[in-house]
Amino acid sequence: MSRYNARETEAKWQSVWSEQKTFEVGETSDKPKYYVLEMFPYPSGRIHMGHVRNYTMGDVVARYKKAQGFNVLHPMGWDAFGMPAENAAMEKKIHPAEWTYSNIDTMREQLKLMGLSIDWSREIATCHPDYYHHEQKLFLDFLEAGLVYKKESWVNWDPVDQTVLANEQVIDGRGWRSGAVVEKRKLSQWFFRITAFNEDLLDALNDLDRWPERVRLMQQNWIGRSEGARVTFDITGGDDGLEVYTTRPDTLFGASFMALSADHPLTIKLAADNAELSDFVDECRRTGTSEEAIEKAEKLGFDTGLKVKHPFADLIGPDGPRELPVYVANFVLMEYGTGAIFGCPAHDQRDLDFARKYGLPVTTVVAPPGEGADHTIGDEAYTGPGSMVNSLFLDGLAVDDAKSAMIERLRADGRGEGTVNFRLRDWGVSRQRYWGCPVPIIHCPSCGEVPVPQDQLPVTLPDDVTFDKPGNPLQHHPTWRHVTCPACDTEAERETDTMDTFVDSSWYFARFCSPHADVPTERNAVDYWLPVDQYIGGVEHAILHLLYSRFFTRAMHRTGHAALDEPFAGLFTQGMVCHETYKDSKGRWVFPDDVRKNDDGSAVHVETGEAVSVGRSESMSKSKKNVVDPTDIIDRFGADTARWFMLSDSPPERDMEWTEAGVSGAWRFMQRLWRLILSVSDQMAAQDASEPTEFNEPAIALRREAHKTIASVTEDIERFRFNRAVARIYELTNYFSEIKTFDQGGMDWAAREAADALIKLVNPMMPHLAEEMWHALGHDTLLADQPWPAARDELIVENTVTIVVQVNGKLRAKLSVGRDMDQQALTDLAMSEATVLAAIGGKAVRKTVVVPNRIVNVVV
RNA sequence: GCCCGCUUGGCGGAAUCGGUAGACGCAACGGACUUAAAAUCCGUUAGAGGAAACUCUGUCCGGGUUCGAGUCCCGGAGCGGGCACCA
């Protein structure tokens, strides 16, 4: 019997699908639409196993939904702007565009080897002017709608590379590339007003019922809504008021100091003629922003000498906090709240540490249950519930009641109000880089910031750039930025900042609906396809990309480019692909390909024969060399083997381990299934034979197995339990393999039915093999166009059931009886079993619990 | 520090309405076929006792609810993830 030749067969069906445009779709179908999308790849060079896992899952869903009768959109594109292309330009002297497009060509070919059901006619690359043209249009529309603005802000500045760095690119206070100590600089930056939607972005999370709970929680925390109050303190001997934000207005009578951010306007004003304070402010700014730096940084304050009056000073006795000293403190952030706080040491740990350090009073205002006004605070602030003390009109109230009472009183006195505060900040998108979408703005000395007129879009990147000096090549370009002002026709300059690459990926799912349109989105197409019904990708994008996309969709809605707010109706976050790690005796990482495992589990280097130590399994990464090249696997075993293994064993949301043994297991199954279909094919009924009226027992049993499998695989795919679906398919295959003859009592017909069903169930996972088997059984249709099989419930019901007999909850016997047996008869039968009687041991039966068709539990 | 998740054989994992723990796969072991190997096929495989029928113990640990708990509740440990000078 001939072995299944994956390489030839896969190439054959891939070209058939391509020639017949099997997966190309339009908007005019009668079928309901279904949009399946996997996060598009960055063209880094070659595809990796993470891509294979991601796109296999998406393809299972896409092929399954197509079989279920949906008009399925399943597109692919390239997230093609970004730093690595510029790094390659600097290191390898190759133009970013050339590097990127050549990577795209390589990766497209690799992806095509996987046999994905993708509509390649919709392919896009974000670095192509056809794409970023429309991104610039969106930017200008958002600008007009007030959703884009420019402001000065503090950024991480790398003085060597002369660029702004994202927080993630600052490691231990140093630039990740240059190693230079990062400075904080105030720069003019473009921002997207994501905070315009903060309440809605938070509330709408509740309706995303097909998103993982975890991701919704992460976004919720990121948006960070808190309820509190703004309170104004008057500066003693001045006209100005200082406003603070607090979530604990109830503790206002426990206040003992006020602290300002180093970047607070008042701080800056004071520092102007106070050298000591000015030095302190500089010191604060030098403090690293890394987690570690913050952890280690001492809480420092600088006493400005200023005092503020407590809002209720008139009510407070001479011993109370009528006046508070004003400090500048290194732990107060200008970006959160108002950049100023009042400190209540008794009920906030950080305030307590600060108060102890600077000898400030600590007054208890919340007494823990059972304690009174004389309760004293030691080294630990009390943050629990209790009743108010030392707080005049709040005394005796519980914390929550005191909060509302205080807010009400502040409002009545005009001293403050209850407010909601968000942690979420506007999205700074300016990057001083070449390989990104140019911001379509012209700076005119007389007109200010002028949008590039529609008919001058796109603002394209110049090709002739150099990367031989630090900074933004667009700045160094001799002519590119010199233009005339569209408004007044005098000399002006282009904006040389480009946009954060997260902007590119914030709307690509919409562009896929009408990828060749001369506007950002064709409304009939986006209205038809969006939202994405199933989005699949790594959990590492749980916050940024997914939040930005949710913002963008709202902004596109507001500017008329779409008619919905939520881009992704369903989201699935997949786990990573892991592999064992290997190191040689010198501690250098070794590729799995260079390792040979011995039977005892030890490992040696293939070439040198030197012993290699086996480390724990970690997510595949180039730096640890624990990577396996997907095309290598596809070349040796076929794409179907790789796909099948990806789906086997591990639940898709969890990390999986890639093993050679697992791959060969998948390959063996592929061969086994092929042999099974060939061996039974000549015993099957003809394709068009009508269903017999009678079936013998083996035929009924085979049909039951087949229909049970159809039902559970369908359910498993619907619920993203691919590992279970795989197990069910193994079971049916095993069952099928044990039957030796198919020639009587309707068995030939049942065999045809079961084989067709099995092939259709396997199709989303191993489409090439399935297509080949389909044709081997004499079908002349394309399996990719065939409907999903329907499970017939009446064939699944079993007439015989197994009843478990327990005594005091312990298994003692199993009975095989007819379905729906009378409870008393069942109990009698159970009580006649020797093992049951032995377990009862002559004791009196207290009661018997009977669960129909399942269990009898005798309690003694 | 706050929030969230996970913990089941040698391994990945099934069992999620509270009702047979270990489906399915991998690995291992034994056997058949073969001059031999590969491939394939058959069998065993949670632990302990027993010739066997069977019995006992078992789902991270300690309690609890229940006729019955991997599953529900309380407390704890370990691992992983998110957020964090957030006022």
Side-chain angles (χ1 to χ4, degrees):
Chain A
M1 198 176 290
S2 70
R3 184 179 273 193
Y4 174 73
N5 185 326
R7 203 196 302 206
E8 281 175 19
T9 312
E10 291 182 355
K12 176 175 77 184
W13 292 114
Q14 282 163 19
S15 60
V16 170
W17 296 328
S18 167
E19 279 158 23
Q20 303 203 5
K21 304 187 189 305
T22 306
F23 304 113
E24 292 187 19
V25 285
E27 292 82 49
T28 54
S29 168
D30 310 333
K31 299 172 180 173
K33 71 95 184 178
Y34 198 90
Y35 187 174
V36 187
L37 185 65
E38 300 96 67
M39 290 179 183
F40 67 163
Y42 177 78
S44 56
R46 300 181 64 77
I47 65 167
H48 54 69
M49 284 298 179
H51 294 129
V52 175
R53 195 175 191 201
N54 194 186
Y55 302 136
T56 298
M57 288 181 197
D59 204 45
V60 169
V61 175
R63 286 177 182 269
Y64 165 75
K65 287 290 178 183
K66 180 172 162 66
Q68 284 280 26
F70 288 90
N71 185 34
V72 174
L73 173 58
H74 187 209
M76 181 59 72
W78 310 95
D79 187 13
F81 272 138
M83 293 273 296
E86 288 190 58
N87 294 339
M90 286 180 255
E91 284 154 21
K92 298 177 192 154
K93 308 286 176 224
I94 175 172
H95 193 278
E98 196 190 331
W99 184 84
T100 303
Y101 284 114
S102 120
N103 286 347
I104 287 175
D105 288 342
T106 306
M107 291 173 73
R108 185 193 303 107
E109 288 317 302
Q110 290 184 295
L111 283 184
K112 286 193 171 178
L113 291 176
M114 282 184 66
L116 304 171
S117 62
I118 281 168
D119 180 353
W120 284 102
S121 73
R122 292 174 183 259
E123 180 183 348
I124 56 178
T126 58
C127 65
H128 199 282
D130 280 350
Y131 185 84
Y132 69 73
H133 174 169
H134 304 294
E135 191 164 305
Q136 291 170 342
K137 164 73 173 148
L138 290 175
F139 181 94
L140 294 177
D141 286 355
F142 291 0
L143 180 68
E144 203 180 329
L147 294 169
V148 170
Y149 65 97
K150 197 176 192 191
K151 76 164 184 200
E152 296 254 294
S153 86
W154 291 100
V155 294
N156 302 306
W157 180 259
D158 185 322
V160 171
D161 279 357
Q162 304 256 309
T163 183
V164 170
L165 297 178
N167 285 333
E168 296 76 31
Q169 293 165 342
V170 181
I171 297 153
D172 286 332
R174 291 170 183 273
W176 67 294
R177 261 181 59 82
S178 69
V181 174
V182 169
E183 299 167 3
K184 284 188 176 176
R185 271 208 190 181
K186 206 163 199 181
L187 277 187
S188 207
Q189 302 266 295
W190 290 97
F191 284 84
F192 281 147
R193 202 182 298 278
I194 190 167
T195 56
F197 299 100
N198 50 20
E199 196 90 57
D200 183 47
L201 285 167
L202 183 70
D203 292 346
L205 287 172
N206 292 325
D207 301 326
L208 294 174
D209 55 351
R210 291 204 298 119
W211 277 43
E213 185 62 32
R214 188 160 71 112
V215 174
R216 290 191 285 170
L217 265 166
M218 280 159 70
Q219 292 218 353
Q220 202 176 305
N221 290 338
W222 185 264
I223 296 168
R225 183 182 193 275
S226 75
E227 287 183 10
R230 284 180 183 243
V231 186
T232 306
F233 289 70
D234 291 332
I235 298 171
T236 307
D239 315 326
D240 296 340
L242 264 179
E243 200 178 36
V244 301
Y245 172 75
T246 178
T247 54
R248 293 297 302 271
D250 54 308
T251 64
L252 196 53
F253 290 108
S256 64
F257 66 95
M258 176 177 262
L260 304 177
S261 161
D263 301 321
H264 194 280
L266 180 62
T267 308
I268 292 163
K269 200 170 123 197
L270 294 171
D273 32 54
N274 183 335
E276 233 180 307
L277 176 56
S278 176
D279 288 348
F280 181 75
V281 166
D282 287 345
E283 198 186 322
C284 291
R285 286 189 190 147
R286 269 198 299 277
T287 312
T289 48
S290 75
E291 196 177 313
E292 211 185 338
I294 287 165
E295 199 71 40
K296 277 188 287 195
E298 203 183 347
K299 307 286 176 276
L300 295 174
F302 182 95
D303 190 348
T304 62
L306 284 184
K307 305 270 189 222
V308 289
K309 210 175 129 197
H310 193 282
F312 299 104
D314 300 344
L315 305 177
I316 298 171
D319 299 336
R322 284 177 167 174
E323 261 193 346
L324 309 176
V326 178
Y327 284 77
V328 173
N330 63 350
F331 58 83
V332 182
L333 303 173
M334 193 57 217
E335 298 86 352
Y336 188 80
T338 62
I341 61 162
F342 79 78
C344 174
H347 307 292
D348 182 285
Q349 191 58 46
R350 195 194 45 214
D351 292 349
L352 182 63
D353 296 344
F354 191 83
R356 295 282 188 235
K357 180 163 178 163
Y358 294 100
L360 298 161
V362 178
T363 312
T364 301
V365 288
V366 179
E371 300 281 337
D374 53 351
H375 177 77
T376 54
I377 299 291
D379 291 335
E380 245 176 76
Y382 180 72
T383 53
S387 53
M388 305 307 300
V389 293
N390 303 320
S391 295
L392 302 169
F393 57 85
L394 297 178
D395 279 352
L397 293 177
V399 167
D400 282 345
D401 296 334
K403 281 181 185 171
S404 10
M406 177 55 93
I407 287 171
E408 183 45 39
R409 180 68 178 257
L410 286 167
R411 204 187 51 77
D413 290 2
R415 313 292 318 181
E417 58 181 352
T419 55
V420 172
N421 203 51
F422 290 87
R423 208 191 71 98
L424 184 68
R425 292 172 215 161
D426 280 335
W427 173 19
V429 296
S430 291
R431 297 292 181 269
Q432 292 68 42
R433 320 270 356 159
Y434 165 72
W435 197 232
C437 173
V439 172
I441 293 288
I442 290 164
H443 298 282
C444 171
S446 39
C447 310
E449 280 140 14
V450 183
V452 173
Q454 298 275 339
D455 59 3
Q456 289 175 31
L457 292 182
V459 176
T460 52
L461 292 167
D463 283 334
D464 50 336
V465 283
T466 52
F467 295 89
D468 48 6
K469 47 186 162 180
N472 184 352
L474 293 177
Q475 280 266 315
H476 307 320
H477 193 278
T479 56
W480 186 79
R481 66 194 164 111
H482 302 294
V483 288
T484 55
C485 170
C488 68
D489 221 26
T490 56
E491 271 184 39
E493 270 194 37
R494 273 192 198 292
E495 170 68 65
T496 55
D497 282 352
T498 53
M499 293 185 221
D500 183 358
T501 54
F502 273 109
V503 178
D504 312 335
S505 55
S506 292
W507 71 286
Y508 77 106
F509 46 86
R511 185 67 186 168
F512 274 138
C513 301
S514 50
H516 312 297
D518 55 8
V519 287
T521 58
E522 242 163 39
R523 280 298 298 273
N524 69 323
V526 289
D527 291 351
Y528 176 77
W529 289 115
L530 289 183
V532 173
D533 295 279
Q534 186 62 60
Y535 197 34
I536 308 171
V539 74
E540 67 274 17
H541 295 108
I543 296 172
L544 296 183
H545 162 61
L546 291 168
L547 190 62
Y548 293 153
S549 299
R550 295 180 65 221
F551 158 72
F552 236 80
T553 307
R554 283 165 171 76
M556 287 171 77
H557 189 178
R558 195 176 271 191
T559 50
H561 294 286
L564 79 173
D565 288 338
E566 287 297 339
F568 312 120
L571 172 70
F572 188 87
T573 53
Q574 104 232 12
M576 292 180 297
V577 182
C578 301
H579 196 284
E580 275 182 337
T581 48
Y582 309 103
K583 270 185 184 177
D584 66 15
S585 58
K586 298 193 183 73
R588 291 174 304 205
W589 301 104
V590 180
F591 285 112
D593 267 358
D594 296 332
V595 171
R596 194 180 61 239
K597 296 287 272 292
N598 296 321
D599 288 345
D600 59 359
S602 68
V604 294
H605 197 285
V606 201
E607 279 162 26
T608 63
E610 198 194 340
V612 168
S613 66
V614 180
R616 67 183 201 119
S617 181
E618 293 184 61
S619 89
M620 285 188 178
S621 77
K622 280 183 194 160
S623 62
K624 287 177 182 150
K625 293 196 176 174
N626 59 338
V627 288
V628 175
D629 188 338
T631 44
D632 234 49
I633 298 294
I634 291 172
D635 201 43
R636 286 164 60 204
F637 303 99
D640 285 341
T641 296
R643 295 170 58 122
W644 184 255
F645 178 50
M646 278 297 178
L647 299 165
S648 311
D649 295 350
S650 295
E653 69 278 9
R654 270 193 231 174
D655 290 353
M656 67 168 291
E657 181 160 7
W658 184 270
T659 60
E660 190 78 8
V663 176
S664 39
W667 189 83
R668 279 199 303 271
F669 178 69
M670 181 172 73
Q671 297 294 341
R672 187 152 78 89
L673 191 53
W674 172 245
R675 283 195 307 271
L676 170 70
I677 294 299
L678 289 191
S679 77
V680 298
S681 69
D682 42 348
Q683 299 186 58
M684 291 177 184
Q687 280 181 56
D688 47 2
S690 57
E691 182 174 344
T693 48
E694 298 267 331
F695 288 92
N696 63 14
E697 265 311 311
I700 290 170
L702 175 59
R703 299 189 77 194
R704 181 159 55 227
E705 284 307 310
H707 283 269
K708 258 162 77 176
T709 307
I710 293 168
S712 51
V713 169
T714 305
E715 162 106 5
D716 289 337
I717 292 178
E718 286 285 350
R719 297 176 62 179
F720 267 80
R721 301 198 295 196
F722 304 131
N723 56 320
R724 258 180 54 131
V726 164
R728 296 289 93 88
I729 289 170
Y730 267 110
E731 281 174 332
L732 179 59
T733 306
N734 291 346
Y735 187 90
F736 213 153
S737 304
E738 276 162 31
I739 304 173
K740 299 304 170 208
T741 53
F742 295 86
D743 52 358
Q744 49 186 322
M747 265 307 263
D748 59 339
W749 199 90
R752 152 73 55 184
E753 182 189 34
D756 281 358
L758 182 56
I759 290 169
K760 286 178 171 182
L761 296 180
V762 163
N763 182 48
M765 302 160 185
M766 296 198 282
H768 313 87
L769 172 70
E771 197 78 68
E772 185 71 6
M773 292 191 298
W774 184 250
H775 286 262
L777 291 192
H779 294 284
D780 49 14
T781 50
L782 205 53
L783 178 60
D785 291 328
Q786 292 303 301
W788 193 248
R792 284 164 58 180
D793 291 342
E794 77 275 13
L795 298 179
I796 296 174
V797 178
E798 303 217 33
N799 295 320
T800 309
V801 292
T802 303
I803 303 291
V804 171
V805 183
Q806 299 178 335
V807 176
N808 289 340
K810 282 200 166 188
L811 173 70
R812 294 300 168 182
K814 291 180 192 177
L815 307 171
S816 189
V817 302
R819 192 181 176 75
D820 296 329
M821 193 183 199
D822 171 70
Q823 297 206 1
Q824 189 55 52
L826 205 52
T827 309
D828 292 347
L829 198 57
M831 296 299 279
S832 67
E833 289 284 315
T835 49
V836 174
L837 290 171
I840 293 170
K843 281 175 265 179
V845 174
R846 288 201 284 137
K847 75 170 175 179
T848 309
V849 180
V850 180
V851 181
N853 294 323
R854 274 202 124 131
I855 211 159
V856 174
N857 190 10
V858 181
V859 188
V860 294

